[in-house]
Amino acid sequence: MFMIERGKISSIQMAVMMNPTILATVLMLVPAITAKHAKQDLWLSPIWASVTGFIIVYIAYRFHKLYPKETLIQFSELILGKVIGKIIAASYLLFYMHITGIITREYGEFVSGTFLHLTPMVVVLGSMVMVSAFAVYGGLEVIGRCAEIIVPVVTLLYLTIFVLLFKDLDMSHMFPILENGLAPSLLGSIVPQCWFSEYFLISFFLPYLTDQEKGLKWGMISVFSVMLIMVITNIMTLLLLGKLNSVVTYPVMIAARYISIADFFEHLEAVVMAIWVAGAFVKITVFYYVLVLGMAQWLKLKDFRPLVLPTGVLLVIIGQWSASSLQELSQFLSSTATFYVLSFQLGLPIILLLIALIKNRSKQMKGK
């Protein structure tokens, strides 16, 4: 089968790309949403939620073993037939277009709500989509190299913020652990599961790995590292803010404002802003690329690049229309989005994989 993307990345680059793809938005919004349910046990919720991530990486890898040169858009037709497969693939493309628009809006709400109050939302969204479009136009190798440069710097800055907060932490906020049993932390893990389910995106990258046999290993390592950073983030915001964690919208931003060393080293909100913008750039670019590549495969084009600009315009429009305010967006992410996202990134893949395995088994039986 003809490969639209001629670039290649390593499995380590894929893992590095996926880290900000999950973490960029989850670290800002989800600690507050999780705290409403899990309270002082919110640090446990990412551990339970990561199980979904491990399952999805395994599902994506099983698809890759069955269809090594095809992405989701292509093997849907091989599993379900041309007509039904095309419909399922189209529904995934519409889903990813909507989700990418929402991610763009999350970025826009943070930037305009905390820093650029008077800048029109369309300008904030358009500028980020335009920068992402350049990376997407460059292809998978360019995105992989961008992530390799950005992610280590962002991770170091993020961990530095937490080190500087140590003196303000209060361990008493963590107790009593499991006061009401496992139920609150399990309930708090439902929303983070939506973010872990985004690991299904690796089904678009596995065919383009230089070391495909290591795809499963590095996918699992990526899930574990994301879970670890989420646990650290939740513990830090809990020990710093206590019960206020569930009230504030961006706990990490509030945490950065606490930092004050010798009345000189303070006001580190700009560092959080830099972390957010860099992480959001990688996340939007990865989703944007998957969407454009998938559309080109669905339309059976020889090149995805002519679709980059018109898709970018659509993403800005969807981002502008997806929610009227941050409150509406948060309400969607903490309620309806759970069923919506998990249906496409966990439910449907399980059904598709079962059908594929049954078809494969029946072919083997006939061969005998």
Side-chain angles (χ1 to χ4, degrees):
M1 187 170 283
F2 178 74
M3 306 273 276
I4 293 172
E5 173 60 72
R6 294 175 184 84
K8 294 278 187 179
I9 58 169
S10 68
S11 53
I12 297 175
Q13 282 178 308
M14 179 190 74
V16 170
M17 279 166 57
M18 289 308 297
N19 272 38
T21 301
I22 311 302
L23 290 171
T25 47
V26 77
L27 293 180
M28 288 295 169
L29 289 165
V30 174
I33 295 170
T34 305
K36 287 172 185 170
H37 300 289
K39 298 186 170 56
Q40 71 269 23
D41 294 327
L42 81 158
W43 60 277
L44 285 167
S45 295
I47 299 172
W48 315 138
S50 67
V51 174
T52 298
F54 290 120
I55 291 168
I56 285 168
V57 168
Y58 178 73
I59 290 170
Y61 190 72
R62 285 305 302 268
F63 276 128
H64 174 62
K65 296 301 284 182
L66 290 170
Y67 310 103
K69 292 184 178 179
E70 283 82 34
T71 68
L72 168 69
I73 304 302
Q74 295 164 318
F75 63 63
S76 294
E77 290 184 44
L78 298 174
I79 295 169
L80 300 170
K82 193 161 187 179
V83 177
I84 300 172
K86 277 276 187 189
I87 293 167
I88 293 294
S91 66
Y92 266 103
L93 291 174
L94 290 171
F95 166 76
Y96 280 125
M97 185 169 284
H98 182 217
I99 289 297
T100 311
I102 287 170
I103 293 163
T104 310
R105 182 56 182 254
E106 286 171 21
Y107 159 79
E109 285 290 350
F110 175 78
V111 171
S112 60
T114 53
F115 291 93
L116 306 177
H117 306 289
L118 301 177
T119 307
M121 181 62 73
V122 70
V123 174
V124 176
L125 301 181
S127 56
M128 176 54 89
V129 170
M130 185 175 69
V131 175
S132 294
F134 282 111
V136 172
Y137 198 85
L140 190 57
E141 281 186 19
V142 171
I143 300 168
R145 286 169 186 167
C146 284
E148 273 187 312
I149 295 166
I150 290 168
V151 172
V153 176
V154 164
T155 306
L156 185 64
L157 285 171
Y158 200 74
L159 294 175
T160 302
I161 286 172
F162 286 145
V163 169
L164 295 173
L165 282 169
F166 271 149
K167 66 182 179 62
D168 297 309
L169 303 182
D170 183 356
M171 289 297 293
S172 65
H173 289 155
M174 203 168 178
F175 301 101
I177 295 172
L178 297 176
E179 182 183 15
N180 299 308
L182 284 173
S185 62
L186 287 170
L187 200 61
S189 74
I190 294 170
V191 172
Q193 279 179 48
C194 295
W195 270 263
F196 276 105
S197 74
E198 290 172 358
Y199 270 100
F200 193 57
L201 290 172
I202 71 167
S203 63
F204 288 87
F205 302 136
L206 289 169
Y208 304 110
L209 297 185
T210 53
D211 49 351
Q212 296 185 4
E213 71 284 353
K214 294 181 181 177
L216 180 64
K217 171 188 162 185
W218 282 101
M220 294 295 186
I221 290 170
S222 180
V223 174
F224 180 77
S225 66
V226 166
M227 180 266 287
L228 196 63
I229 293 172
M230 285 175 68
V231 169
I232 292 168
T233 303
N234 284 5
I235 287 174
M236 287 294 182
T237 54
L238 171 67
L239 298 185
L240 186 72
L241 302 173
K243 290 180 180 178
L244 286 174
N245 213 357
S246 60
V247 180
V248 295
T249 308
Y250 300 116
V252 176
M253 176 59 78
I254 302 297
R257 286 175 179 155
Y258 265 83
I259 296 170
S260 179
I261 298 172
D263 293 327
F264 167 73
F265 201 66
E266 53 189 11
H267 300 297
L268 296 186
E269 298 96 314
V271 176
V272 177
M273 173 74 163
I275 292 168
W276 172 265
V277 171
F281 162 71
V282 176
K283 177 160 191 159
I284 291 167
T285 302
V286 166
F287 271 85
Y288 190 172
Y289 171 78
V290 163
L291 176 60
V292 171
L293 178 70
M295 287 167 70
Q297 289 172 339
W298 194 83
L299 294 166
K300 301 218 179 326
L301 302 179
K302 290 185 177 179
D303 192 5
F304 63 82
R305 286 169 181 82
L307 298 173
V308 173
L309 189 60
T311 304
V313 174
L314 276 174
L315 292 178
V316 174
I317 294 167
I318 293 166
Q320 186 78 5
W321 288 351
S322 58
S324 60
S325 65
L326 178 61
Q327 288 71 29
E328 188 181 315
L329 192 62
S330 295
Q331 177 61 30
F332 169 72
L333 293 171
S334 59
S335 55
T336 322
T338 309
F339 178 76
Y340 174 52
V341 172
L342 290 177
S343 295
F344 274 95
Q345 296 188 143
L346 180 62
L348 259 177
I350 289 172
I351 295 167
L352 281 173
L353 183 59
L354 288 172
I355 295 168
L357 291 171
I358 292 165
K359 283 185 77 172
N360 195 51
R361 186 72 183 267
S362 64
K363 277 183 187 176
Q364 287 176 346
M365 296 292 282
K366 283 177 185 175
K368 290 179 181 178

